[in-house]
Every structure is written in C-alpha cells, then in structure tokens.
Amino acid sequence: MRETGGDQVEEAVAGCVAALRPAVARNWAEVRAGGLDWSCHETAVHVADDLVAYAANLAGRARDAYVPFELRLDDGTDNSGLLHVVETTGALLAATVRTTTRGVRAFHPYPFRTADRAGFAAMGIAEVLLHTHDMATGLGLPYRPSDELADSVLALLFPHVQPGPTPWATLLWATGRGELPGRAPVTGWRWHNNLVIAADRLDLVGIRPAEARDLRLGGDGGFEWAEGGPYEGTRDAAGFLLKAYEGGTHRPEFGVFALVRREDGRAVGGLGFHSAPDEDGRVEVGYDLTESARGQGYATEALRALADWALPRPDVSSLFATIEPANTPSQAVVTRAGFTKVSEDEEGLAYELRAPR
C-alpha cells in the first residue's frame, strides 16, 4: 500500500506556491481569504505555522499539548519570502513524516488526542489544499489540486463522510466551503484521526477507509503482518467497513482494528465491531488471529481492551458475539473476556457482556 506521506505533502505545497506566485506583487494583507475572517497574508502565515507545528509535534513526540513555540516572520518579509517559508515548513513536515516509524503517535486534539505519521501528513496536506483554495478565491486565481490528494485527505481524516461525486468537491463541502446536491450545508467540522486502544502487549489500531480498501483488494493495508496475515476474516471485515464508508453509515470509533504487537510492530490479527450500536445500545464484535499468533492470549487481551473502551460509553449497553458451535477456542476467548452465553441454536452460540450500569 502506498501510504500518504512526505511526497504528497511536497506535492500539495508545490501546488500552493504555483497557484499563488502570480499574485506576489499584490498586498495580501488587504485581501480577504475567501470566506475566512483572515487576510490572505494571515492565512499563508497560518499554513506555515501549522506545517511546522505538525512537524514539531511528530518529531518531538509531543504527548499532551503542542510544542510551545510559534512561527514569526522577520519584519519586512514580502510575499515571495512568505511563500518560501511555506515551502520550507512543508519540507520540514515531509522530512519528519519520512523519518518517523509507523507506530509513533503524537499529540493532536481531534478527536482522540493522537495522530500517526499518515495523520500528520494528511492534516498538513489538508491545511495547504483548503487554505490555498481560500487565498486563491480571494485573489481571483485558479486553483484545483489533484483528486488523489483530496481523496487521501478524505479517506484519512473524514472517514465519517460519505464519498461524493468528486473528491475535491466533497472535501470542500465537508469543510463548509461548497455545496453537494442532496446534502445539507456543513457549518462545523473537525479532523477525525484514527482511534488507538492500548492493551497489555498490543495496540488496537483503527483501520481507516484507505487501509480497508487496500486490505479488501488483497494488500497489507500498510501494516507489517505476522506470518500468515492478514487472515481472511480481517479482509472481510475491511470490506464491510469500506461498504459502510461508501454508504455514508460508517462511524469510525465502531470500526475495525488491527492488533499490532508492540514488541515488534507486527499485526497479528483483526478485531472490531460489525456496526454501530443499535437503538438498545447492543453492538456485535468479531475477531481473528493469524495462525502463528494463536494460543498466546492475544484475542482475549484485545477483546478485554475493546470492552473496557466501549462499555463505559453512554451509547453502549452490551457487547455480543456469535460463535459457531464447533469453534471451541473462540468460545474460550469470550468466556475469559467475561462474556456469558445467553442463547444457543444450531446456527451458533450467542455470548454477551453487559455494561455495569
């Protein structure tokens, strides 16, 4: 899988500079940037500030807040110099993304207070694409980034947004900058980086639509897998996630997780929800492991961690799992995780774990 990274950050920045350079002789401080309250000058400084802040957080492994500094231009910096600052801060983010290993996460507030290298790359790209649109609109310049860049931002940061007729039009609508037929205007939005739940030996890493698409097509989803992985059940679950995303019903926090072994960074299986909770707060879970990882307690550990995350939520009343009668190892997993058998027929056994209300 080709992960969104430094090359895409540089592509976005190059497109920004090329679009805005024809207007460097104008006074950007006197031109409003599209529908923003900022001028084009303020917006360009904001882009550069975000790019270097993302690079700093990722490089510095920030845990609870942004690294405490702010970009300031030298007095007298003209628009050409400002574009050079945007290029430079973009290069810093691209280099940081390239040199950061996959499992590293650093602080970003939305929505789960961390992001990985792909998330920081996508946020940097989004800032560049969207604010170049704002500035180009204010300056009366043409601008349209590639659909590949817009699609990567949507699949990484907007997993809750149903794809539209074109990625760029959908991204503009999703950020309150455009209209889509049949959809209400967007008045508020946030990034949506993927959820990671820590277990004892594993990290449950939320699979994003871009990764689910690659898994469903036979790829690795960007993960390094233990021998024999990914297992068929994980690919099937990725397909269900992708179908929900394309249908506009995907809730990312109730998606699918890769079980990544912390000691070596390898994925050993998949676990997740079949859908969001129903009207009674019940939600079904499923899981699988590569054959080489079975018999070591990973599935039980992961299921307990998932339950510990889900059951305190007000929209979850219980987790349940349906298991084939002959699958005694899986029955043992749910039993060790605290589930109890609530029904049995020829099609399967139903187990449930209720929230302690």
Side-chain angles (χ1 to χ4, degrees):
M1 174 183 172
R2 184 192 182 207
E3 184 181 284
T4 298
D7 290 350
Q8 290 73 34
V9 172
E10 290 180 340
E11 178 186 344
V13 170
C16 166
V17 172
L20 298 180
R21 194 176 295 283
V24 292
R26 296 179 58 182
N27 187 346
W28 289 5
E30 295 183 352
V31 179
R32 183 176 172 181
L36 303 181
D37 293 332
W38 296 334
S39 70
C40 288
H41 181 273
E42 290 171 317
T43 304
V45 173
H46 169 79
V47 170
D49 194 35
D50 274 351
L51 291 172
V52 74
Y54 292 159
N57 268 28
L58 189 56
R61 311 297 193 257
R63 301 315 309 163
D64 301 312
Y66 282 101
V67 177
F69 74 96
E70 188 173 358
L71 180 73
R72 186 183 66 81
L73 300 182
D74 288 344
D75 293 341
T77 300
D78 61 12
N79 292 333
S80 292
L82 179 51
L83 287 181
H84 190 198
V85 173
V86 172
E87 285 182 301
T88 302
T89 53
L92 289 172
L93 177 58
T96 304
V97 168
R98 289 190 181 108
T99 55
T100 301
T101 56
R102 179 182 173 90
V104 169
R105 299 185 73 85
F107 173 80
H108 189 274
Y110 307 122
F112 304 116
R113 301 187 66 79
T114 66
D116 63 3
R117 65 184 186 187
F120 277 105
M123 289 188 290
I125 293 166
E127 292 284 355
V128 172
L129 266 54
L130 295 169
H131 287 317
T132 302
H133 164 80
D134 298 332
M135 291 182 283
T137 298
L139 293 164
L141 298 171
Y143 175 69
R144 183 185 176 94
S146 71
D147 276 346
E148 289 77 12
L149 282 178
D151 185 61
S152 69
V153 169
L154 287 167
L156 285 165
L157 299 180
F158 294 87
H160 52 295
V161 171
Q162 182 180 19
T166 66
W168 180 230
T170 304
L171 182 58
L172 290 177
W173 169 81
T175 57
R177 289 172 167 83
E179 298 180 354
L180 281 184
R183 302 196 193 184
V186 172
T187 58
W189 57 275
R190 293 291 191 191
W191 306 141
H192 202 294
N193 283 291
N194 62 331
L195 173 63
V196 174
I197 301 170
D200 292 337
R201 297 170 293 168
L202 305 169
D203 286 321
L204 284 59
V205 180
I207 294 175
R208 295 166 281 212
E211 296 155 344
R213 184 183 296 123
D214 186 68
L215 283 166
R216 192 69 190 96
L217 293 174
D220 58 16
F223 296 93
E224 293 184 17
W225 289 87
E227 183 180 355
Y231 202 65
E232 182 180 352
T234 299
R235 295 196 186 280
D236 290 342
F240 295 140
L241 185 160
L242 193 60
K243 183 177 179 179
Y245 170 63
E246 293 172 346
T249 61
H250 180 48
R251 286 181 59 185
E253 66 271 35
F254 290 104
V256 182
F257 300 83
L259 309 182
V260 178
R261 191 164 52 198
R262 209 171 290 127
E263 68 177 16
D264 60 4
R266 294 188 176 275
V268 298
L271 175 147
F273 303 97
H274 288 201
S275 65
D278 65 18
E279 60 184 11
D280 296 320
R282 300 177 74 240
V283 56
E284 186 172 4
V285 296
Y287 48 87
D288 67 15
L289 291 176
T290 62
E291 292 187 11
S292 63
R294 294 175 186 172
Q296 301 175 55
Y298 290 134
T300 300
E301 177 183 324
L303 189 54
R304 285 173 177 160
L306 190 69
D308 288 344
W309 176 84
L311 291 176
R313 293 176 57 99
D315 53 349
V316 177
S317 63
S318 66
L319 307 182
F320 72 96
T322 303
I323 302 172
E324 296 177 354
N327 191 347
T328 54
S330 189
Q331 295 169 37
V333 167
V334 294
T335 300
R336 288 194 297 267
F339 287 62
T340 57
K341 187 168 65 175
V342 293
S343 67
E344 178 177 354
D345 57 33
E346 64 275 4
E347 294 185 0
L349 288 70
Y351 288 80
E352 186 175 40
L353 179 61
R354 299 193 62 80
R357 298 287 192 252

